[in-house]
């Protein structure tokens, strides 16, 4: 069990691991907080991307620098018997950096709190290594913090298990399933609160993916913006998939890299993105692209913003799924439903769903 200081330190480690502006890449986001024997924070650290010190090494470096710069050696902080609180199991792998489990041992820590075991077989084993060396390792983590640690690297973990990016499909539609009116207009089906949430969702993904039809019709910027129009620090890669012609995407200052995936095959597109180190894809349009991924069974979750609006006619949110009879329907499991109320009083419903296993 965690004591109050350790729980607070884990919350802080999760915060620094999730801070905006960190680079994309096929590496987990990890935070570490070092505590002295009294539960006072000695140092913090986090991983900043491939080739940079891991979170534990970063925190140890900060702690050592603090000790070196202390004017009174007798009161300088010591790592002997300290507690390391980490969001992910310390690694045992030597790559561009050394193994974190060994670094903690060498520093003389007495206890390590681990929020999430490492699913990567190449790097896992830190818990066993530390315990074999006599270090107290705590894995009994409160459910809310364990869930937060798991969510921190959903795309990375999914990539390890499936060798492809996690795919989230975002849909905004009316109560009768329309994504646009008969004349093609779609701004705005949902209210301000839903649209702001979408931009927050974009900051958590590596890539926004649209089809050439959407790129041609809407000329979207595919950026993550604040309500005032300024860009968030962390911008996704902007990808367009398809073989049709389309004008170049608008490129405001600070926008993410724009890439073209010249294929209509969802599997080929995901293979390309995975090879680029991208681990979480947000599908944003249009209906042909949505249908292609659904037919291929490559949608892992759906975020649907449902507006209390009727159009009666217009563009469907998805294209033909190849379903001709009710028994062939694609059933979804509802994970969450949350009302989103805008300043003007308009309330949309956000549904989080995933396809049911066959």
């Amino acid at each position: 069990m965690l004591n109050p200081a350790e729980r607070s330190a884990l919350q802080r480690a999760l915060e620094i691991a999730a801070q905006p502006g960190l680079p994309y890449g096929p590496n987990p986001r990890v935070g570490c907080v070092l505590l002295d024997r009294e539960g006072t924070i000695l140092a913090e650290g986090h991983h900043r991307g491939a080739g940079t010190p891991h979170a534990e090494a970063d925190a140890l470096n900060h702690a050592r620098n603090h000790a070196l710069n202390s004017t009174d050696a007798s009161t300088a902080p010591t790592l002997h018997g300290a507690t390391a609180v980490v969001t992910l199991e310390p690694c045992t792998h030597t790559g561009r950096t050394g193994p974190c489990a060994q670094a903690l041992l060498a520093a003389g820590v007495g206890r390590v709190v681990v929020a999430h075991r490492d699913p990567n077989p190449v790097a896992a084993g830190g818990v066993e290594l530390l315990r074999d060396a006599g270090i107290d390792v705590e894995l009994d983590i409160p459910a809310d913090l364990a869930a937060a640690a798991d969510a921190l690297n959903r795309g990375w973990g999914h990539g390890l298990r499936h060798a492809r990016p996690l795919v989230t499909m975002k849909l905004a539609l009316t109560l009768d399933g329309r994504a646009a009116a008969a004349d093609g207009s779609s701004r705005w089906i949902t209210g301000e609160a839903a649209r702001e949430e979408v931009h927050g969702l974009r900051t958590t993904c590596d890539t926004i993916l649209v089809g050439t039809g959407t790129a041609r019709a809407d000329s979207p910027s595919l950026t993550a913006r604040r309500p005032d129009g300024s860009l968030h620090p962390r911008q996704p890669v902007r990808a367009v998939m398809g073989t049709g012609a389309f004008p170049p995407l608008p490129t405001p200052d600070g926008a993410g890299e724009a890439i073209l995936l010249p294929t209509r095959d969802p599997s080929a597109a995901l293979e390309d993105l995975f090879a680029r180190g991208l681990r979480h894809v947000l599908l944003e349009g249009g209906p042909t692209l949505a249908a292609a991924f659904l037919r291929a069974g490559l949608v892992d979750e759906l975020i649907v913003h449902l507006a209390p609006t009727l159009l009666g006619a217009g563009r469907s949110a998805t294209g033909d799924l190849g379903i001709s009879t009710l028994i062939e329907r694609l059933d979804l499991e509802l994970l969450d439903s949350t009302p989103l109320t805008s300043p003007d009083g308009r309330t949309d419903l956000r549904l989080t769903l995933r396809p049911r296993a066959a």
Side-chain angles (χ1 to χ4, degrees), residues 27-313:
N27 296 286
R29 308 177 84 183
V30 185
C32 175
V33 173
L34 298 174
L35 302 175
D36 66 15
R37 293 176 182 271
E38 284 70 45
T40 302
I41 292 179
L42 291 171
E44 301 176 348
H46 67 281
H47 186 44
R48 294 171 175 82
T52 65
H54 289 189
E56 297 91 329
D58 189 41
L60 290 170
N61 288 339
H62 285 307
R64 292 184 181 113
N65 288 338
H66 184 196
L68 288 173
N69 294 328
S70 177
T71 56
D72 185 350
S74 65
T75 60
T78 176
L79 292 169
H80 184 72
T83 296
V85 179
V86 293
T87 59
L88 183 69
E89 178 181 13
C91 69
T92 57
H93 174 62
T94 299
R96 284 189 260 182
T97 59
C100 295
Q102 291 285 3
L104 292 173
L105 279 177
V109 302
R111 176 172 162 85
V112 180
V113 174
V114 177
H116 195 269
R117 294 296 297 261
D118 193 333
N120 185 353
V122 174
V127 166
E128 288 74 23
L129 187 151
L130 291 166
R131 282 179 169 168
D132 288 346
I135 304 300
D136 179 22
V137 179
E138 180 61 75
L139 296 172
D140 186 8
I141 306 299
D144 59 330
L145 298 180
D150 182 48
L152 187 63
N153 293 299
R154 286 196 310 147
W156 173 75
H158 187 277
L160 286 172
R161 294 189 297 272
H162 302 287
R164 69 165 176 84
L166 175 72
V167 176
T168 298
M169 177 179 289
K170 189 277 292 182
L171 299 173
L173 62 154
T174 64
L175 198 58
D176 51 352
R178 304 297 178 180
D183 65 356
S185 59
S186 60
R187 297 182 180 179
W188 299 101
I189 283 177
T190 54
E192 181 181 334
R195 299 197 301 274
E196 183 176 347
E197 186 179 82
V198 168
H199 284 281
L201 176 62
R202 288 178 175 182
T203 69
T204 69
C205 299
D206 294 340
T207 314
I208 301 177
L209 178 60
V210 300
T212 52
T214 294
R216 187 168 49 249
D218 298 341
S219 189
S221 64
L222 304 181
T223 54
R225 301 184 297 277
R226 301 184 181 93
D228 64 5
S230 62
L231 299 188
H232 284 284
R234 192 171 193 258
Q235 291 293 315
V237 170
R238 304 173 301 147
V240 180
M241 169 186 164
T243 57
F246 67 95
L249 294 176
T251 307
D253 289 342
E257 176 190 3
I259 58 176
L260 171 63
L261 306 174
T263 179
R264 294 183 179 180
D265 180 356
S267 293
L270 293 181
E271 182 179 349
D272 188 321
L273 294 172
F274 191 79
R276 296 171 187 262
L278 302 169
R279 296 295 182 263
H280 190 179
V281 175
L282 179 63
L283 296 182
E284 289 223 17
T288 301
L289 185 75
F293 274 81
L294 287 167
R295 286 198 307 268
L298 292 173
V299 175
D300 300 299
E301 67 177 0
L302 296 91
I303 306 294
V304 178
H305 289 122
L306 188 62
T309 302
L310 298 172
L311 287 174

